[in-house]
Amino acid sequence: MSNPSSIAATVIIDELVRGGVRDIVICPGSRSAPLARAAAVAAGSDGFGGQLLRLHVRFDERAAGFLALGLAAASGRPTPIIVTSGTAVANLMPAMVEAQLSSIPLLALTADRPLELYKTGANQTMDQVRFFENIAASELINTAAFNSDTFDPVDSASAQLANAQMRSTICRLLASMTSDAAGGPGHLDVCLREPLYPVSAAEITAPAGRAPLPENATGDTTAATGDTTAAADRIRAADKLVPWTQISRRLQNVKKPLVLDISRPTLVIAGDGAEEYPALADIPTIAEPTAYAPSRQVHPAAAGMLRQDPLVGEEGVYQLRPEQVVVVGRPTLHRGVAQLLAHPKVQVTVVTRHTDYTDVARTAHAVTADITVVGEQPKAWLDLCAGVDRLAADAVRNALQHNGFTGLHVAAAVADHLRVGDQLILGASNPVRDASYCGLPFDGVDVHANRGAAGIDGTIATAIGIALHRDRQEPDQLRAPRTVAFMGDLTFLHDAGALAIGPDEPRPDNLTVVVANDCGGGIFETLEGGRPELRDHFERIQAVPHTVDIEQLCGAYEIGYLQVSGLQELIIALDDDAEAGYGIRVIEARTDREPLRAAHAEIAAATTLGQK
């Protein structure tokens, strides 16, 4: 008879493709071999290109998880990563945590030992079924039904029942991952029994799935028969703005859009992933780089001014602080913004269509799924916001005129040289904050950052995944639009293994990785621990200096490399990307972290308007 594990794996991969999966990441392993082989057969001989399904193979499960995360984040489609049993599963945890907090449909497709081996001490056996239970929608597939010697693997009633149940399970999981209300990561744990390989390389014959309904079909569809129409519809809609369902609210149960009187001074805080609400378009907005580009943008460094008490001037009293703040998305970057939200005299309203919402200071008086406004913003307030925005932006640019060559200078150069159609991926810690200080977001550039858990891990792999999706979107262009990833040296070194890409694997066509290398953790220079009186152990335990030669590292991975040591060199390097050839290139900017504290102190002093 045909190999039972291979039959089950073929059904699983087939149903995933029917449900909208277009990329699968594979890590090598023995227990997972049936799933990997089925994916390779489904993808065709080359594994990418003209095929419906594209494969990506990596040997590092942690980096592979973030590659799949990037593909899922860019496409909106569930993207599986196939790993074997044991610690391979544990290596997916960082990417799964990020997917959960950022609502990204990353699918951990984990091969498992038979359930009867649990708690027996059998090799490479652990409790995988519940490993992601607090993070992801989870399902278990036990392939025992296909291991019976008494039925034809395709035509028998028991085989058809097992086929329908297996496909139904996958359909249910995909629907959950792409749900309007609670989409996010999924975990499909598959118990596979030996033999894990067929006798020959001949194609495995497996029970077929139900034919898809015509595009104009109507009527009830059910997952009980293995139909994935509902999940596929959701996935097809992922490229559009899908309205989230109304949610129950902990603080205020709003049955219709909340009406906000904006004749009072009002400020919008647009955090990571913020949805753009037309009613808020004319209100001054502090926006993080991964939010939308507002029409009345306020520099984040101005948050310190906007939380101050009224300022008495020659012409009277100036109202600096907004009376009300509207929060959309998840603001995580700036302490000044968090302090403004915590001010007892500021009324905070959260607008979200997610089942969870952000209330970082626990001060929200209302949470609503939609909002309308009445009245108009006072002209004096609009003028004030425009003024503090200019003042803060000028303070940053003035600080760049001296204070050496730091990561802040690199961020400014990257921001100034972005073009319409570019994609930008920002590393955690200083780069995303520096980019925010240097003008982002703005229209025409898609900005991504792993802000769910705000970790430095997986940034290169995520950028590769996002770039590969853009390449696939633009198959007819001579060269894909540019993707730029900007990160610090520790972030780069943490994920350098992601650059190990096999010779037959899809590679980004146009990815530039800019590394601000200040030999350690520059962000700590700007925090309390970087104060002169606390530097007795600072270098070793917080700055974490290193001696890694990034040029030699890139050479080992056969990645294009260029080093710059000043702002003018960096500007030229960013301008010359058309001459850099195809694929991935790394620009290492050798920066200094010592002036960072002084630069930030200068910006803070210039944005206090004479107040403490």
Side-chain angles (χ1 to χ4, degrees), residues 263-578:
S263 60
R264 304 160 60 195
T266 306
L267 181 72
V268 173
I269 305 295
D272 178 57
E275 180 180 344
E276 190 169 5
Y277 291 84
L280 306 176
D282 201 42
I283 300 174
T285 301
I286 296 178
E288 295 189 356
T290 49
Y292 58 88
S295 58
R296 294 185 182 274
Q297 188 156 335
V298 179
H299 196 283
M305 291 182 277
L306 294 177
R307 71 173 185 273
Q308 294 175 0
D309 292 331
L311 184 67
V312 179
E314 294 181 358
E315 299 181 5
V317 178
Y318 295 92
Q319 173 68 44
L320 295 175
R321 189 171 55 246
E323 294 183 19
Q324 54 190 6
V325 172
V326 180
V327 176
V328 291
R330 183 166 174 256
T332 62
L333 290 183
H334 304 293
R335 286 188 176 186
V337 169
Q339 292 165 351
L340 176 61
L341 291 172
H343 199 287
K345 294 184 178 179
V346 174
Q347 180 178 299
V348 177
T349 298
V350 176
V351 186
T352 179
R353 292 174 181 168
H354 291 257
T355 53
D356 200 0
Y357 60 89
T358 298
D359 184 14
V360 293
R362 295 192 173 185
T363 54
H365 86 289
V367 181
T368 180
D370 203 357
I371 192 167
T372 61
V373 300
V374 294
E376 294 182 355
Q377 288 278 270
K379 183 179 184 302
W381 171 249
L382 295 178
D383 291 343
L384 174 73
C385 289
V388 297
D389 173 63
R390 287 193 298 272
L391 192 155
D394 289 345
V396 172
R397 294 294 167 161
N398 289 337
L400 292 173
Q401 298 303 313
H402 41 90
N403 291 307
F405 182 48
T406 69
L408 189 61
H409 293 79
V410 177
V414 170
D416 290 349
H417 285 77
L418 290 171
R419 310 161 188 153
V420 172
D422 283 352
Q423 292 186 123
L424 176 66
I425 295 88
L426 295 169
S429 296
N430 271 340
V432 65
R433 292 172 173 84
D434 290 346
S436 181
Y437 265 37
C438 293
L440 268 72
F442 50 81
D443 285 329
V445 176
D446 293 330
V447 183
H448 302 263
N450 288 339
R451 296 307 303 164
I456 68 169
D457 44 346
T459 306
I460 296 175
T462 302
I464 291 173
I466 290 170
L468 284 168
H469 176 69
R470 173 60 66 87
D471 293 351
R472 195 174 198 180
Q473 284 185 309
E474 309 286 348
D476 298 327
Q477 290 202 22
L478 182 62
R479 191 180 193 191
R482 184 173 63 164
T483 299
V484 178
F486 169 45
M487 64 195 70
D489 51 312
L490 297 188
T491 298
F492 178 84
L493 295 177
H494 196 289
D495 198 35
L499 296 173
I501 304 174
D504 298 324
E505 300 308 311
R507 288 173 173 259
D509 184 50
N510 188 1
L511 172 61
T512 297
V513 180
V514 180
V515 184
N517 183 6
D518 56 14
C519 191
I523 191 170
F524 300 111
E525 295 282 354
T526 67
L527 301 178
E528 289 83 351
R531 300 201 310 265
E533 63 271 23
L534 294 178
R535 297 186 71 92
D536 49 349
H537 300 291
F538 175 82
E539 276 297 305
R540 184 178 184 187
I541 66 173
Q542 287 196 282
V544 196
H546 61 86
T547 58
V548 177
D549 188 322
I550 292 180
E551 180 178 9
Q552 291 193 32
L553 188 65
C554 290
Y557 288 121
E558 299 184 335
I559 299 295
Y561 171 86
L562 177 67
Q563 182 185 117
V564 300
S565 56
L567 190 59
Q568 195 60 39
E569 289 181 64
L570 177 58
I571 290 170
I572 293 172
L574 290 168
D575 282 339
D576 285 350
D577 69 295

Side-chain angles (χ1 to χ4, degrees), residues 1-10 28-39 41 83-85 110-114 117 123-124 141 143-144 146-147 190-202 204:
M1 62 176 290
S2 298
N3 181 263
S5 290
S6 296
I7 296 171
T10 300
S30 177
R31 186 64 49 173
S32 58
L35 292 166
R37 290 177 60 86
V41 170
V83 299
T84 196
S85 58
T110 60
D112 204 348
R113 301 297 173 112
L117 294 182
N123 180 49
Q124 212 173 84
I141 288 182
T143 62
F146 283 113
N147 285 67
V190 184
C191 297
L192 294 165
R193 287 168 172 75
E194 297 177 357
L196 300 173
Y197 297 87
V199 175
S200 70
I204 297 295

Side-chain angles (χ1 to χ4, degrees), residues 1 96 120 173 175 213 468 502:
M1 62 176 290
M96 292 292 281
T120 66
L173 181 59
L213 293 176
L468 284 168

Side-chain angles (χ1 to χ4, degrees), residues 53-104:
L53 182 67
R54 181 171 62 167
L55 298 189
H56 312 265
V57 181
R58 300 292 190 274
F59 58 77
D60 179 343
E61 288 91 357
R62 186 198 53 79
F66 280 99
L67 170 63
L69 180 88
L71 289 162
S75 67
R77 294 176 180 268
T79 304
I81 171 167
I82 297 173
V83 299
T84 196
S85 58
T87 58
V89 179
N91 279 315
L92 299 183
M93 182 62 84
M96 292 292 281
V97 169
E98 178 62 35
Q100 189 245 347
L101 292 173
S102 297
S103 300
I104 295 172

Side-chain angles (χ1 to χ4, degrees), residues 207-270:
R210 179 171 155 182
L213 293 176
E215 289 293 327
N216 60 351
T218 59
D220 181 46
T221 60
T222 173
T225 57
D227 178 54
T228 55
T229 303
D233 286 344
R234 287 192 176 94
I235 296 163
R236 279 195 294 269
D239 294 332
K240 305 175 183 178
L241 183 62
V242 181
W244 295 78
T245 57
Q246 291 284 324
I247 63 172
S248 60
R249 286 156 291 275
R250 175 165 60 89
L251 299 181
Q252 181 173 334
N253 188 16
V254 181
K255 298 298 184 183
K256 56 185 178 180
L258 182 145
V259 179
L260 189 72
D261 181 2
I262 62 169
S263 60
R264 304 160 60 195
T266 306
L267 181 72
V268 173
I269 305 295

